[in-house]
């Protein structure tokens, strides 16, 4: 029988980083970008896209797992318009967007990338990339859940680079923002 110190065990658990949390994406840096700025990022190649298909994100598995960030305006998702994209923010010097792929089958991806379930792939990815993909998936979920106004039932439309969903009915114009749900998980030991 080997005795273990519960304080040491608890400390090692606390030192493990949460792969979905962290300051990986500067969400405010590009928050007020206008359409001309977004067009410039796309034209000069400094914009990347994280497509989300059926809650799955693109991952390259070999030689070691990494997130697949597609150049905006090229490849299999070249036809995605800016109204269909959500600006996530700045990541590694790039403007990062996400979009939902609404298709029965996933679009083909280059470089051995495939759409992977984030719950399974996150622990294998670098933490900042797992956090980025989790944020992309959360913003797609936000947009999907706010397609209609919660006040009057009219359709909503994206504004402010997809970060706000606004009621399309002029008399209402209610704005919906992504939720922040703080949570705590505790272990009662005594």
């Amino acid at each position: 029988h080997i005795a273990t110190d519960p304080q040491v065990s608890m400390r090692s658990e606390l030192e493990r980083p949460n792969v979905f949390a962290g300051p990986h994406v500067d969400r405010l840096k590009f928050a007020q970008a206008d359409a001309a700025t977004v067009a410039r990022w796309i034209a000069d190649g400094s914009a990347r896209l994280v497509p989300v298909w059926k809650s799955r994100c693109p991952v390259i598995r070999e030689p070691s797992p990494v997130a697949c960030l597609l150049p905006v305006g090229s490849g299999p998702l070249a036809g995605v318009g800016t109204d269909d994209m959500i600006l996530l923010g700045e990541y590694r010097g790039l403007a990062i967007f996400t979009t939902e792929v609404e298709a029965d089958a996933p679009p083909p991806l280059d470089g051995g990338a495939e759409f992977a379930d984030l719950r399974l792939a996150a622990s294998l990815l670098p933490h900042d990339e797992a956090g980025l993909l989790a944020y992309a998936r959360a913003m797609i979920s936000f947009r999907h859940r706010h397609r209609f106004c919660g006040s009057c039932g009219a359709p909503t439309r994206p504004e402010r680079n997809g970060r706000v969903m606004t009621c399309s009915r002029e008399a209402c114009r209610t704005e919906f923002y992504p939720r922040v749900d703080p949570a705590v998980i505790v272990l009662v030991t005594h």
Side-chain angles (χ1 to χ4, degrees):
H1 174 53
I2 300 174
T4 60
D5 181 356
Q7 294 296 340
V8 172
S9 177
M10 182 68 80
R11 195 175 315 115
S12 65
E13 287 295 316
L14 294 174
E15 291 171 357
R16 281 192 203 158
N18 179 342
V19 297
F20 296 126
H24 311 303
V25 180
D26 185 344
R27 299 175 186 191
L28 298 177
K29 186 171 185 179
F30 300 145
Q32 301 303 320
D34 59 11
T37 303
V38 171
R40 189 178 69 246
W41 292 333
I42 293 170
D44 72 15
S46 62
R48 295 293 182 273
L49 184 65
V50 178
V52 177
W53 174 74
K54 298 188 185 277
S55 296
R56 295 170 181 256
C57 298
V59 173
I60 300 171
R61 294 190 186 268
E62 299 294 332
S64 62
V66 294
C68 179
L69 307 178
L70 305 174
V72 176
S74 64
L77 299 171
V80 174
T82 55
D83 284 345
D84 296 323
M85 296 190 301
I86 302 169
L87 176 60
L88 300 179
E90 188 266 341
Y91 174 76
R92 296 183 183 171
L94 299 167
I96 304 294
F97 295 85
T98 188
T99 190
E100 183 174 21
V101 176
E102 296 182 23
D104 292 333
L109 300 173
D110 297 333
E114 61 186 56
F115 285 90
D117 186 334
L118 192 55
R119 291 172 291 188
L120 302 174
S123 64
L124 305 174
L125 294 169
H127 292 187
D128 61 336
E129 293 179 7
L132 173 66
L133 296 184
Y135 180 37
R137 185 175 161 193
M139 290 302 290
I140 293 300
S141 177
F142 156 71
R143 182 177 273 191
H144 188 74
R145 290 176 186 224
H146 291 88
R147 294 178 295 165
F148 297 95
C149 178
S151 296
C152 73
T156 57
R157 62 176 167 254
E159 291 184 354
R160 298 186 208 147
N161 295 310
R163 295 168 169 241
V164 178
M165 297 300 283
T166 304
C167 179
S168 61
R169 196 171 133 249
E170 288 302 319
C172 183
R173 301 280 300 154
T174 301
E175 294 180 334
F176 299 92
Y177 295 86
R179 289 175 31 170
V180 177
D181 296 323
V184 62
I185 299 172
V186 297
L187 172 65
V188 178
T189 60
H190 182 68

